[in-house]
Structures are given as structure tokens and as C-alpha cells.
Amino acid sequence: MRVGLTGGIGSGKSTVAAMLAHLGAAVIDTDAISKALTLPSGGAMAGIAAAFGSSVIAADGSLDRSRMRQIAFADPDARKRLEQVLHPLIGDECNRQASVAAAEGRDIVFDVPLLVESGRWRSRVDRVLVVDATEATQVDRVVARSSWTIEAVRSVIDQQATRILRRASADAVIFNETMTLPELELQVSALWTQWAESAAR
């Protein structure tokens, strides 16, 4: 079984991904892959330096993520250039990890923040699970866990697919608004069991 997991910033998607991993799924985290590619000597750094110059390179040779975020969110063309560097490398690593998981006979969850926006993931997965929350809750959660301002969080939300579009792409939606962690875990477990049984038929 190949499942695409997505959700807006602050929705609780990463928490759900951890729960699915606990249930035995092989979780392939595209955000983690992206971060690894932009560490010092990471596979994307030469391409990023060529595309954007030294202003986006931190003193240790890694990507200055804050600076790059400012540039990418302010300039759609810059964002496109960044994606042209990163996406093929992320795709290659996703395929590598998926091949290992498939050889082990494991169900696979692709954790993709921009699954809906990319337009190409729907054909790669059997089902899409969306973790949803109201915009106000998204903002509150991100501000509480980071040094981001409210305006910075809202800027990211504005760049992402709308909740309506995200929900419309889903085979299932978990509305993670007021649930406790145990309640969320029960809902995730029940859905995963249902999908696993359906896939086995």
C-alpha cells in the first residue's frame, strides 16, 4: 500500500506520520530529505549555489533556510528555480527509499507537505490522507513551537493549497482541531487498519 500524507503547516501532519511509523509503515519524509540535501556538502548545495549565489549559503556551507525562504516566498520565479534543483534529487531519494521498503514488504507513506500543489503525486499513491486544521489553529501552533511571527506563518499558509483544495484531493481527512493525542492516535489506527484490510482483499 502506497499512501500520500499531506496537510498544511501546523496541522499535525508530522504527528500523524510518527503514529503511522509506529504502526509499521515505512514513512518517507520529503521534508527531511530536502533538509539533508541542503546540509554542508549536501547533494543540492552546488546547484543552489549556482542558481542563487553565495548569499543563500550559511557560514558552515549549508543552506541559509531563513534567507532562502524570504527569497522564494517573495519571488515565484526564484521558488521555481529552487524546485528545479531540489525536486529531481528528492524524487530520486524517494524512489530509493521506496524500493527498500517494498523489498521488505512494508506499506509506504510518502509524507509530502506540497502533495496537492505538486500535481504529480496523485498518480503515485493508492490513497491520500489529509490532516486538516483551521487556519487560526495552524498559526497558533507554529508560533508556539517556533520563533516565527504570525505574519511569517500566514505567508506560508498563503503559498500553500487552500484547505478546500487539499480536502478535495483526499480519500480521508483527519480534522485535527480539538482532539487529544490519544484520540488522534485512535483515529489514525482505525483508518490505517481499515485501509490495510481493504488493500489485502
Side-chain angles (χ1 to χ4, degrees):
M1 183 167 58
R2 297 164 66 92
V3 172
L5 171 66
T6 195
I9 186 172
S11 64
K13 174 184 62 62
S14 296
T15 300
V16 171
M19 291 174 177
L20 291 171
H22 183 71
L23 291 169
V27 176
I28 299 175
D29 184 340
T30 58
D31 222 18
I33 292 170
S34 175
K35 288 176 182 175
L37 288 168
T38 55
L39 291 174
S41 302
M45 290 310 300
I48 290 172
F52 296 97
S54 61
S55 67
V56 299
I57 311 300
D60 66 354
S62 67
L63 177 66
D64 184 336
R65 298 180 69 83
S66 177
R67 174 68 178 145
M68 190 71 254
R69 190 182 300 116
Q70 290 174 352
I71 294 171
F73 281 127
D75 181 356
D77 287 337
R79 185 175 182 178
K80 189 174 295 184
R81 293 204 311 275
L82 178 63
E83 290 172 348
Q84 287 171 346
V85 174
L86 283 173
H87 284 183
L89 298 172
I90 293 171
D92 288 346
E93 179 60 16
C94 279
N95 290 338
R96 187 193 69 77
Q97 292 187 27
S99 294
V100 172
E104 295 170 348
R106 300 175 67 191
D107 294 317
I108 302 168
V109 172
F110 295 96
D111 180 346
V112 188
L114 301 181
L115 183 146
V116 175
E117 293 86 339
S118 75
R120 61 182 180 275
W121 274 97
R122 177 71 260 194
S123 62
R124 300 182 183 184
V125 296
D126 305 311
R127 301 175 189 270
V128 171
L129 171 58
V130 168
V131 185
D132 186 40
T134 64
E135 183 174 316
T137 295
Q138 291 177 260
V139 172
D140 288 346
R141 286 174 178 166
V142 177
V143 169
R145 77 187 185 202
S146 71
S147 60
W148 287 27
T149 64
I150 291 174
E151 292 73 20
V153 182
R154 290 196 184 280
S155 175
V156 172
I157 291 172
D158 289 344
Q159 296 285 336
Q160 295 183 331
T162 65
R163 290 178 61 211
I164 291 173
L165 281 176
R166 204 178 287 116
R167 291 170 69 99
S169 74
D171 294 289
V173 176
I174 292 178
F175 186 51
N176 182 30
E177 183 72 18
T178 59
M179 283 189 287
T180 64
L181 278 175
E183 289 169 342
L184 178 61
E185 195 164 13
L186 280 173
Q187 190 163 337
V188 170
S189 179
L191 177 65
W192 189 250
T193 298
Q194 176 188 334
W195 279 2
E197 289 175 349
S198 176
R201 293 193 189 113

